[in-house]
Amino acid sequence: MKPTDIRNPDYFHKVVDCQWACPAHTPVPEYIRLIAAKRYTDAYLINWKSNVFPGILGRTCDRPCEPACRRGRVEEEPVAICRLKRVAADNKEDSVAALMPAPAAKKNGKRVACIGAGPASLTVARDLLAIGYEVHIFDGDAKAGGMVRTQIPRFRLPESVIDEEVGYITRLEPVLHLGERVDSLKAFLAQGWDAVFVGTGAPRGRDLKLPGQAECAANIHIGIDWLSNVSFEHIHTIGKRVIVLGGGNTAMDCCRTSRRLGGEDVKVIVRSGFDEMKASPWEKEDAMHEGIPILNFLNPREFTHENGKLTGVWFTKMHWVEEGGKKKLVPSGEPDVHYECDDVLMAVGQENAFPWIERDLGMTFDKWDMPVVDQVTMQSSIANVFFGGDAAFGPKNIIWAVAHGHEAAVSIDLLLTGEDVKQRPGPGVTIASTKMGIHEWAYDNDPSLDHRFRVPQVEPEVALRNVKVEVEKGFDPLLGFKEARRCLNCDVQTVFAADLCIECDACVDICPMDCITFTENGEETALREHLKAPALNLTQDLYIADGLKTGRIMAKDEDVCLHCGLCAERCPTGAWDMQQFYLEMTHAGCSSAPKAKPAPQPVGAK
Amino acid sequence: MTYIAKPPLHHPSLEKNALGFTRRDYEGRISTLCAGCGHDSISAAIIQACFEIDLAPHRLAKFSGIGCSSKTPDYFVSPAHGFNAVHGRMPSVLTGANIASKDLIYLGVSGDGDSASIGLGQFAHAVRRGVNMTYIVENNGVYGLTKGQFSATSDKGSKAKKGAENKDSPIDLVMLALQLGATYVGRSFSGDKTQLVPLIKGALHHKGAAIIDVLSPCVAFNNHVGSTKSFDYVREHNEAVNRLDVISPRAPIRAEYAPGELKEVVQHDGSTLRLRKIEEEYDPSDRNAALGYLARKATEGEIVTGLLYVDPAAHDLHDSLNTVDTPLNKLRDVDLIPPVSALEKINSGLR
Ligand SMILES: Cc1cc2nc3c(=O)[nH]c(=O)nc-3n(C[C@H](O)[C@H](O)[C@H](O)COP(=O)(O)OP(=O)(O)OC[C@H]3O[C@@H](n4cnc5c(N)ncnc54)[C@H](O)[C@@H]3O)c2cc1C
Ligand SMILES: Cc1ncc(C[n+]2csc(CCOP(=O)(O)OP(=O)(O)O)c2C)c(N)n1
Ligand code: SF4
Ligand code: SF4
Ligand code: SF4
Ligand SMILES: [Mg+2]
């Protein structure tokens, strides 16, 4: 294998599994260490800079970082990265706002419009306002926040948290046009914006339109419309027996909300099996914990009704079959089953809808009638119109909306400063030794053996009484500290200097995870099998260094390294060093920053 | 040393042996030796060997004298028995324990100072008596613990860290052991575990005095240019005569090699030593030829490593003394104290 180029920021970035997996590339381990050090405000600011909504995301994020977390491969469960974010948000000082950028003192004269006031648009606005753009935000709703405000139930996310974090953006003085729907993009573009960002989400809930539906329409609701009506306090009750159709997170919010509005016998009924459901495992767990059964392999066929009132639903039983090597869900042939109910909530998917974008505008739409949007620049086929969030590539989640927002803001800034939107600015990277003494490091290198801590919750009896009672209490500072200590500090990199190594094997012998091997070089597949421990996780790189006296190579499997620093402590020559790698995405306004490249320097270097 | 303990977390693919233990279960406390010390690699090799031969930790008895090397039994197989003797006196303490309790597996760990300087006499007698033991000398050519004075194995002309030259002739513990009748003799290098681990395994299986001289560079006092015990020097002058594989008594033996390529030696306990020749003329079953070869190579400045001599049918001290099968410390009073009638019988014969 070729020696690893550790000067390429991607190499060490990939070692920080959580940060690499986070769409916004939040520097996770650094904020976790700050939480352990009780520096909540600093931890919050790192998050705020990167993901804009730490308090909201600390309660609701889809957390792609957690399945990626190294800890999950070392013991049973990953670090509770998401809920630690909330610890920072809950415990930060009130003065945090003073540390955020103030409204730009000087405007640059460029006017940008954001359509929709969801997380994607708000991110674009934050990034551009701080550097002098005049940003106008339009939304049909009366308050900013998008689906974060209208869809996510209050028992998961109190409105005060939304107000606070939306407030950190509105204090930068965007021009808000709330209650103003945009009905024609053509007319809108004619207003002469320098750039337009479309962050209108995926607002349409799918409707099954089954037989019997029209006759009892009053008892059959589209999940997302019903949830927003609950949020707006237009709806306060539901029937005693409720069936929720669908297996995604919206279904989970619908059923749990029903339990709080008077639903006593609430069921979730899903076409597929339990494991194939789209809802996150923790959402399913929370629903079942509230006494909501999930029934699988049942496809709704027809609504039954009496005197214009819904009485129940007929279901066809389904099962998986293999067809041409593909798994297919088909009726199993067993007799259909009927479940009685008073109300049905349909949560079977969300769609984009752009009736307000004229198709003769010159914007290219694909065969699914979605605007063609560049995956990196977020640019549409009209040069100054950008998309992001659910509006860009279909429904995703908040953290993706934020990541899109950052990229779109970078593009808008590049475009409006006359640069090429395709020339993306590189990340800001620093790498520095953490060595403080022979056995002392600037981080806590002794890995905690604790298993994942559970977030304390209020009693179900209390929680189910009111839709506004937040179920999770959050980690208190002590639990937060203990959970934070579970982080393996994956950003503290093992950096190797072959010219210092005397091949004494001390690092090989001490490494608890058998990461390090000195061996003859070879081709990757063979090499992976012949290391001290087989390196079978192909998603994880091998760190290869040549230049050793014996002509062998050093091969380190990054997969399950604890970043405990024992290799560096046992090395007699300082050939291993533990160096903190800090990577920050470059946001708008920093686009002329030089493409930073780390230059690792072992402390023992001669 | 390090401040933090080695975390018990381990690689997900870590294997278990026949007893259900992982290699990590054979570890000891965290080493207090200098970072990079060859002795730590030897401890790692002992751990690996004990794991691979499915040794029940409580069946191992570790003995050592004084020195950095002699501290190491604390750093492997914590649940084993152990005794840390005074400087150079480990062989007689081990001999005594072995006489009393023959059913344990004896491992002596010593240094070149402990065995070739102050303890030379003790070393010689334990070997010539054929005590059933594995005796590992962690040979760095200096008294590491007392900051690097030349030891008796230091080569003539080898330079100390500050330039002083050793003027005395070295003692070659391998040649000495061969002369004294050791029945399993090997030499290896702390930086070559593929060679060292099988040598230790074979020795633990061997019945009789098994001596392994392991060159083990002292990073603090004897790893400089001019030293003949440094990593670089040993790597440059290392001449392995053979490669060893050890097959445990119960493991199936497969013969899948061309005849003549390999030599198999079955030891007393049924373990098989499978030797692959590297040096064509070398014969590890011929003690005198081995001595000649080693002497010749020593004058050429080469360090001969590998399994240098083995007598698979060796007898040990218990055979010579004709002791009973039951370990002496397990004999009951009735077995040991003759009745009054026996005394009377003797007395009457003398009247
Ligand atoms: C029930 C439910 C629960 C969810 N829970 C989570 C969760 O826990 N975690 C998570 O990460 N994600 C969750 N999501 C998904 C998340 O809410 C969205 O992915 C995210 O809000 C998308 O952000 P956005 O900025 O793209 O658009 P949105 O948040 O959808 O905001 C779009 C805004 O645009 C406005 N708008 C639309 N068209 C126009 C127009 N023509 N003119 C003016 N304004 C317009 C809308 O009124 C809306 O306010 C959930 C979604 C649902 C439905
Ligand atoms: C009776 C006695 N004499 C002298 C000493 C001092 N002393 C301690 S260790 C040592 C030499 C150890 O050398 P070696 O066996 O080679 O061990 P190393 O530290 O090199 O591994 C000496 C002379 C002592 N502890 N006891
Ligand atoms: S252990 Fe910490 S740094 Fe490593 S992936 Fe998990 S959260 Fe990230
Ligand atoms: S930091 Fe070093 S010793 Fe610790 S697990 Fe990683 S490679 Fe092994
Ligand atoms: S401990 Fe240091 S000198 Fe020894 S092999 Fe490892 S990197 Fe090389
Ligand atoms: Mg010594």
PDB file of all heavy atoms in Angstrom, chain B residues 220-246:
ATOM      1  N   ALA B 220      17.479   2.695  27.596  1.00  0.00           N
ATOM      2  CA  ALA B 220      18.012   3.826  28.361  1.00  0.00           C
ATOM      3  C   ALA B 220      19.534   3.828  28.402  1.00  0.00           C
ATOM      4  O   ALA B 220      20.163   4.880  28.319  1.00  0.00           O
ATOM      5  CB  ALA B 220      17.443   3.811  29.773  1.00  0.00           C
ATOM      6  N   PHE B 221      20.186   2.638  28.513  1.00  0.00           N
ATOM      7  CA  PHE B 221      21.630   2.628  28.749  1.00  0.00           C
ATOM      8  C   PHE B 221      22.447   1.837  27.734  1.00  0.00           C
ATOM      9  O   PHE B 221      23.678   1.836  27.811  1.00  0.00           O
ATOM     10  CB  PHE B 221      21.916   2.090  30.163  1.00  0.00           C
ATOM     11  CG  PHE B 221      21.268   2.906  31.234  1.00  0.00           C
ATOM     12  CD1 PHE B 221      20.198   2.407  31.968  1.00  0.00           C
ATOM     13  CD2 PHE B 221      21.680   4.209  31.473  1.00  0.00           C
ATOM     14  CE1 PHE B 221      19.581   3.167  32.938  1.00  0.00           C
ATOM     15  CE2 PHE B 221      21.065   4.978  32.458  1.00  0.00           C
ATOM     16  CZ  PHE B 221      20.011   4.461  33.183  1.00  0.00           C
ATOM     17  N   ASN B 222      21.823   1.124  26.851  1.00  0.00           N
ATOM     18  CA  ASN B 222      22.656   0.309  25.962  1.00  0.00           C
ATOM     19  C   ASN B 222      22.041   0.169  24.574  1.00  0.00           C
ATOM     20  O   ASN B 222      21.984  -0.932  24.026  1.00  0.00           O
ATOM     21  CB  ASN B 222      22.891  -1.076  26.597  1.00  0.00           C
ATOM     22  CG  ASN B 222      24.185  -1.710  26.092  1.00  0.00           C
ATOM     23  OD1 ASN B 222      24.993  -1.047  25.424  1.00  0.00           O
ATOM     24  ND2 ASN B 222      24.381  -2.986  26.392  1.00  0.00           N
ATOM     25  N   ASN B 223      21.611   1.274  24.009  1.00  0.00           N
ATOM     26  CA  ASN B 223      21.024   1.199  22.677  1.00  0.00           C
ATOM     27  C   ASN B 223      21.654   2.240  21.762  1.00  0.00           C
ATOM     28  O   ASN B 223      21.004   2.813  20.905  1.00  0.00           O
ATOM     29  CB  ASN B 223      19.498   1.400  22.763  1.00  0.00           C
ATOM     30  CG  ASN B 223      18.819   1.037  21.457  1.00  0.00           C
ATOM     31  OD1 ASN B 223      19.225   0.095  20.780  1.00  0.00           O
ATOM     32  ND2 ASN B 223      17.812   1.808  21.066  1.00  0.00           N
ATOM     33  N   HIS B 224      22.943   2.454  21.965  1.00  0.00           N
ATOM     34  CA  HIS B 224      23.630   3.494  21.193  1.00  0.00           C
ATOM     35  C   HIS B 224      24.576   2.865  20.173  1.00  0.00           C
ATOM     36  O   HIS B 224      24.837   1.651  20.211  1.00  0.00           O
ATOM     37  CB  HIS B 224      24.414   4.388  22.149  1.00  0.00           C
ATOM     38  CG  HIS B 224      25.148   3.591  23.183  1.00  0.00           C
ATOM     39  ND1 HIS B 224      24.616   3.344  24.431  1.00  0.00           N
ATOM     40  CD2 HIS B 224      26.322   2.943  23.134  1.00  0.00           C
ATOM     41  CE1 HIS B 224      25.452   2.585  25.106  1.00  0.00           C
ATOM     42  NE2 HIS B 224      26.491   2.316  24.340  1.00  0.00           N
ATOM     43  N   VAL B 225      25.105   3.673  19.305  1.00  0.00           N
ATOM     44  CA  VAL B 225      26.107   3.204  18.352  1.00  0.00           C
ATOM     45  C   VAL B 225      27.339   2.777  19.149  1.00  0.00           C
ATOM     46  O   VAL B 225      27.754   3.470  20.075  1.00  0.00           O
ATOM     47  CB  VAL B 225      26.467   4.349  17.366  1.00  0.00           C
ATOM     48  CG1 VAL B 225      27.568   3.899  16.407  1.00  0.00           C
ATOM     49  CG2 VAL B 225      25.237   4.787  16.607  1.00  0.00           C
ATOM     50  N   GLY B 226      27.922   1.610  18.805  1.00  0.00           N
ATOM     51  CA  GLY B 226      29.088   1.127  19.545  1.00  0.00           C
ATOM     52  C   GLY B 226      28.723   0.018  20.514  1.00  0.00           C
ATOM     53  O   GLY B 226      29.571  -0.733  20.970  1.00  0.00           O
ATOM     54  N   SER B 227      27.423  -0.101  20.829  1.00  0.00           N
ATOM     55  CA  SER B 227      26.962  -1.191  21.687  1.00  0.00           C
ATOM     56  C   SER B 227      26.658  -2.404  20.809  1.00  0.00           C
ATOM     57  O   SER B 227      26.145  -2.268  19.696  1.00  0.00           O
ATOM     58  CB  SER B 227      25.695  -0.764  22.421  1.00  0.00           C
ATOM     59  OG  SER B 227      24.970  -1.921  22.824  1.00  0.00           O
ATOM     60  N   THR B 228      26.986  -3.592  21.320  1.00  0.00           N
ATOM     61  CA  THR B 228      26.662  -4.804  20.553  1.00  0.00           C
ATOM     62  C   THR B 228      25.341  -5.426  21.012  1.00  0.00           C
ATOM     63  O   THR B 228      25.013  -6.536  20.651  1.00  0.00           O
ATOM     64  CB  THR B 228      27.783  -5.860  20.692  1.00  0.00           C
ATOM     65  OG1 THR B 228      27.909  -6.172  22.087  1.00  0.00           O
ATOM     66  CG2 THR B 228      29.097  -5.334  20.152  1.00  0.00           C
ATOM     67  N   LYS B 229      24.593  -4.678  21.832  1.00  0.00           N
ATOM     68  CA  LYS B 229      23.295  -5.188  22.269  1.00  0.00           C
ATOM     69  C   LYS B 229      22.181  -4.198  21.908  1.00  0.00           C
ATOM     70  O   LYS B 229      21.128  -4.183  22.538  1.00  0.00           O
ATOM     71  CB  LYS B 229      23.286  -5.418  23.793  1.00  0.00           C
ATOM     72  CG  LYS B 229      24.303  -6.455  24.288  1.00  0.00           C
ATOM     73  CD  LYS B 229      23.759  -7.863  24.227  1.00  0.00           C
ATOM     74  CE  LYS B 229      24.625  -8.870  24.977  1.00  0.00           C
ATOM     75  NZ  LYS B 229      25.898  -9.155  24.278  1.00  0.00           N
ATOM     76  N   SER B 230      22.421  -3.359  20.921  1.00  0.00           N
ATOM     77  CA  SER B 230      21.399  -2.390  20.519  1.00  0.00           C
ATOM     78  C   SER B 230      20.452  -3.023  19.508  1.00  0.00           C
ATOM     79  O   SER B 230      20.766  -4.050  18.901  1.00  0.00           O
ATOM     80  CB  SER B 230      22.066  -1.168  19.891  1.00  0.00           C
ATOM     81  OG  SER B 230      22.661  -1.548  18.665  1.00  0.00           O
ATOM     82  N   PHE B 231      19.298  -2.391  19.320  1.00  0.00           N
ATOM     83  CA  PHE B 231      18.348  -2.888  18.309  1.00  0.00           C
ATOM     84  C   PHE B 231      19.033  -3.011  16.951  1.00  0.00           C
ATOM     85  O   PHE B 231      18.929  -4.040  16.285  1.00  0.00           O
ATOM     86  CB  PHE B 231      17.150  -1.929  18.179  1.00  0.00           C
ATOM     87  CG  PHE B 231      16.106  -2.119  19.232  1.00  0.00           C
ATOM     88  CD1 PHE B 231      15.943  -1.186  20.251  1.00  0.00           C
ATOM     89  CD2 PHE B 231      15.277  -3.231  19.220  1.00  0.00           C
ATOM     90  CE1 PHE B 231      14.971  -1.360  21.229  1.00  0.00           C
ATOM     91  CE2 PHE B 231      14.302  -3.411  20.193  1.00  0.00           C
ATOM     92  CZ  PHE B 231      14.156  -2.472  21.204  1.00  0.00           C
ATOM     93  N   ASP B 232      19.710  -1.958  16.561  1.00  0.00           N
ATOM     94  CA  ASP B 232      20.308  -1.958  15.224  1.00  0.00           C
ATOM     95  C   ASP B 232      21.374  -3.040  15.096  1.00  0.00           C
ATOM     96  O   ASP B 232      21.420  -3.774  14.111  1.00  0.00           O
ATOM     97  CB  ASP B 232      20.929  -0.583  14.912  1.00  0.00           C
ATOM     98  CG  ASP B 232      19.848   0.473  14.700  1.00  0.00           C
ATOM     99  OD1 ASP B 232      18.668   0.078  14.586  1.00  0.00           O
ATOM    100  OD2 ASP B 232      20.184   1.671  14.662  1.00  0.00           O
ATOM    101  N   TYR B 233      22.254  -3.166  16.113  1.00  0.00           N
ATOM    102  CA  TYR B 233      23.344  -4.138  16.030  1.00  0.00           C
ATOM    103  C   TYR B 233      22.785  -5.562  15.977  1.00  0.00           C
ATOM    104  O   TYR B 233      23.192  -6.382  15.152  1.00  0.00           O
ATOM    105  CB  TYR B 233      24.290  -3.981  17.227  1.00  0.00           C
ATOM    106  CG  TYR B 233      25.535  -4.832  17.081  1.00  0.00           C
ATOM    107  CD1 TYR B 233      26.688  -4.324  16.488  1.00  0.00           C
ATOM    108  CD2 TYR B 233      25.538  -6.164  17.508  1.00  0.00           C
ATOM    109  CE1 TYR B 233      27.819  -5.115  16.329  1.00  0.00           C
ATOM    110  CE2 TYR B 233      26.663  -6.963  17.349  1.00  0.00           C
ATOM    111  CZ  TYR B 233      27.811  -6.431  16.762  1.00  0.00           C
ATOM    112  OH  TYR B 233      28.913  -7.223  16.599  1.00  0.00           O
ATOM    113  N   VAL B 234      21.825  -5.830  16.856  1.00  0.00           N
ATOM    114  CA  VAL B 234      21.283  -7.195  16.892  1.00  0.00           C
ATOM    115  C   VAL B 234      20.585  -7.514  15.572  1.00  0.00           C
ATOM    116  O   VAL B 234      20.742  -8.600  15.006  1.00  0.00           O
ATOM    117  CB  VAL B 234      20.323  -7.378  18.088  1.00  0.00           C
ATOM    118  CG1 VAL B 234      19.671  -8.754  18.052  1.00  0.00           C
ATOM    119  CG2 VAL B 234      21.070  -7.184  19.402  1.00  0.00           C
ATOM    120  N   ARG B 235      19.844  -6.554  15.032  1.00  0.00           N
ATOM    121  CA  ARG B 235      19.159  -6.802  13.752  1.00  0.00           C
ATOM    122  C   ARG B 235      20.171  -7.085  12.649  1.00  0.00           C
ATOM    123  O   ARG B 235      19.968  -7.964  11.813  1.00  0.00           O
ATOM    124  CB  ARG B 235      18.301  -5.602  13.364  1.00  0.00           C
ATOM    125  CG  ARG B 235      16.996  -5.541  14.138  1.00  0.00           C
ATOM    126  CD  ARG B 235      15.909  -4.775  13.396  1.00  0.00           C
ATOM    127  NE  ARG B 235      14.649  -4.955  14.092  1.00  0.00           N
ATOM    128  CZ  ARG B 235      14.129  -4.064  14.948  1.00  0.00           C
ATOM    129  NH1 ARG B 235      14.739  -2.923  15.177  1.00  0.00           N
ATOM    130  NH2 ARG B 235      12.999  -4.319  15.569  1.00  0.00           N
ATOM    131  N   GLU B 236      21.279  -6.338  12.656  1.00  0.00           N
ATOM    132  CA  GLU B 236      22.275  -6.508  11.598  1.00  0.00           C
ATOM    133  C   GLU B 236      22.997  -7.840  11.686  1.00  0.00           C
ATOM    134  O   GLU B 236      23.414  -8.388  10.674  1.00  0.00           O
ATOM    135  CB  GLU B 236      23.326  -5.394  11.695  1.00  0.00           C
ATOM    136  CG  GLU B 236      23.055  -4.222  10.779  1.00  0.00           C
ATOM    137  CD  GLU B 236      23.822  -2.989  11.227  1.00  0.00           C
ATOM    138  OE1 GLU B 236      25.023  -3.111  11.526  1.00  0.00           O
ATOM    139  OE2 GLU B 236      23.196  -1.908  11.308  1.00  0.00           O
ATOM    140  N   HIS B 237      23.227  -8.356  12.908  1.00  0.00           N
ATOM    141  CA  HIS B 237      24.068  -9.550  13.076  1.00  0.00           C
ATOM    142  C   HIS B 237      23.279 -10.793  13.418  1.00  0.00           C
ATOM    143  O   HIS B 237      23.866 -11.831  13.709  1.00  0.00           O
ATOM    144  CB  HIS B 237      25.127  -9.272  14.150  1.00  0.00           C
ATOM    145  CG  HIS B 237      26.078  -8.177  13.749  1.00  0.00           C
ATOM    146  ND1 HIS B 237      25.782  -6.843  13.942  1.00  0.00           N
ATOM    147  CD2 HIS B 237      27.279  -8.211  13.127  1.00  0.00           C
ATOM    148  CE1 HIS B 237      26.771  -6.102  13.475  1.00  0.00           C
ATOM    149  NE2 HIS B 237      27.695  -6.907  12.964  1.00  0.00           N
ATOM    150  N   ASN B 238      21.960 -10.689  13.376  1.00  0.00           N
ATOM    151  CA  ASN B 238      21.122 -11.829  13.739  1.00  0.00           C
ATOM    152  C   ASN B 238      21.154 -12.881  12.632  1.00  0.00           C
ATOM    153  O   ASN B 238      20.876 -12.589  11.477  1.00  0.00           O
ATOM    154  CB  ASN B 238      19.682 -11.317  13.942  1.00  0.00           C
ATOM    155  CG  ASN B 238      18.777 -12.369  14.533  1.00  0.00           C
ATOM    156  OD1 ASN B 238      19.057 -13.566  14.466  1.00  0.00           O
ATOM    157  ND2 ASN B 238      17.676 -11.911  15.110  1.00  0.00           N
ATOM    158  N   GLU B 239      21.510 -14.110  13.000  1.00  0.00           N
ATOM    159  CA  GLU B 239      21.537 -15.204  12.020  1.00  0.00           C
ATOM    160  C   GLU B 239      20.707 -16.352  12.554  1.00  0.00           C
ATOM    161  O   GLU B 239      21.171 -17.128  13.392  1.00  0.00           O
ATOM    162  CB  GLU B 239      22.977 -15.654  11.800  1.00  0.00           C
ATOM    163  CG  GLU B 239      23.378 -15.541  10.354  1.00  0.00           C
ATOM    164  CD  GLU B 239      24.765 -16.077  10.103  1.00  0.00           C
ATOM    165  OE1 GLU B 239      25.068 -17.216  10.543  1.00  0.00           O
ATOM    166  OE2 GLU B 239      25.544 -15.349   9.478  1.00  0.00           O
ATOM    167  N   ALA B 240      19.478 -16.460  12.083  1.00  0.00           N
ATOM    168  CA  ALA B 240      18.613 -17.536  12.561  1.00  0.00           C
ATOM    169  C   ALA B 240      18.979 -18.822  11.834  1.00  0.00           C
ATOM    170  O   ALA B 240      19.148 -18.816  10.618  1.00  0.00           O
ATOM    171  CB  ALA B 240      17.157 -17.172  12.308  1.00  0.00           C
ATOM    172  N   VAL B 241      19.117 -19.912  12.589  1.00  0.00           N
ATOM    173  CA  VAL B 241      19.464 -21.185  11.944  1.00  0.00           C
ATOM    174  C   VAL B 241      18.227 -21.985  11.569  1.00  0.00           C
ATOM    175  O   VAL B 241      18.276 -22.861  10.714  1.00  0.00           O
ATOM    176  CB  VAL B 241      20.385 -22.048  12.839  1.00  0.00           C
ATOM    177  CG1 VAL B 241      21.760 -21.415  12.939  1.00  0.00           C
ATOM    178  CG2 VAL B 241      19.783 -22.267  14.217  1.00  0.00           C
ATOM    179  N   ASN B 242      17.128 -21.695  12.235  1.00  0.00           N
ATOM    180  CA  ASN B 242      15.913 -22.444  11.911  1.00  0.00           C
ATOM    181  C   ASN B 242      14.686 -21.662  12.359  1.00  0.00           C
ATOM    182  O   ASN B 242      14.796 -20.660  13.051  1.00  0.00           O
ATOM    183  CB  ASN B 242      15.927 -23.834  12.573  1.00  0.00           C
ATOM    184  CG  ASN B 242      16.291 -23.769  14.060  1.00  0.00           C
ATOM    185  OD1 ASN B 242      16.000 -22.794  14.727  1.00  0.00           O
ATOM    186  ND2 ASN B 242      16.931 -24.810  14.570  1.00  0.00           N
ATOM    187  N   ARG B 243      13.523 -22.111  11.919  1.00  0.00           N
ATOM    188  CA  ARG B 243      12.245 -21.545  12.349  1.00  0.00           C
ATOM    189  C   ARG B 243      11.467 -22.648  13.033  1.00  0.00           C
ATOM    190  O   ARG B 243      11.424 -23.775  12.543  1.00  0.00           O
ATOM    191  CB  ARG B 243      11.436 -21.048  11.146  1.00  0.00           C
ATOM    192  CG  ARG B 243      11.858 -19.682  10.662  1.00  0.00           C
ATOM    193  CD  ARG B 243      11.208 -18.581  11.469  1.00  0.00           C
ATOM    194  NE  ARG B 243      11.956 -17.331  11.288  1.00  0.00           N
ATOM    195  CZ  ARG B 243      11.850 -16.268  12.107  1.00  0.00           C
ATOM    196  NH1 ARG B 243      11.043 -16.317  13.142  1.00  0.00           N
ATOM    197  NH2 ARG B 243      12.551 -15.193  11.889  1.00  0.00           N
ATOM    198  N   LEU B 244      10.840 -22.309  14.142  1.00  0.00           N
ATOM    199  CA  LEU B 244      10.167 -23.326  14.942  1.00  0.00           C
ATOM    200  C   LEU B 244       8.653 -23.094  14.953  1.00  0.00           C
ATOM    201  O   LEU B 244       8.184 -21.965  15.003  1.00  0.00           O
ATOM    202  CB  LEU B 244      10.717 -23.244  16.379  1.00  0.00           C
ATOM    203  CG  LEU B 244      10.056 -24.103  17.446  1.00  0.00           C
ATOM    204  CD1 LEU B 244      10.304 -25.587  17.175  1.00  0.00           C
ATOM    205  CD2 LEU B 244      10.587 -23.729  18.835  1.00  0.00           C
ATOM    206  N   ASP B 245       7.940 -24.205  14.870  1.00  0.00           N
ATOM    207  CA  ASP B 245       6.498 -24.186  15.128  1.00  0.00           C
ATOM    208  C   ASP B 245       6.262 -25.176  16.247  1.00  0.00           C
ATOM    209  O   ASP B 245       6.864 -26.244  16.236  1.00  0.00           O
ATOM    210  CB  ASP B 245       5.727 -24.684  13.905  1.00  0.00           C
ATOM    211  CG  ASP B 245       5.298 -23.533  13.027  1.00  0.00           C
ATOM    212  OD1 ASP B 245       5.024 -22.454  13.579  1.00  0.00           O
ATOM    213  OD2 ASP B 245       5.262 -23.728  11.799  1.00  0.00           O
ATOM    214  N   VAL B 246       5.386 -24.849  17.166  1.00  0.00           N
ATOM    215  CA  VAL B 246       5.121 -25.785  18.254  1.00  0.00           C
ATOM    216  C   VAL B 246       3.672 -26.225  18.172  1.00  0.00           C
ATOM    217  O   VAL B 246       2.768 -25.396  18.063  1.00  0.00           O
ATOM    218  CB  VAL B 246       5.417 -25.136  19.617  1.00  0.00           C
ATOM    219  CG1 VAL B 246       5.076 -26.094  20.741  1.00  0.00           C
ATOM    220  CG2 VAL B 246       6.865 -24.708  19.688  1.00  0.00           C
TER     221      VAL B 246
END
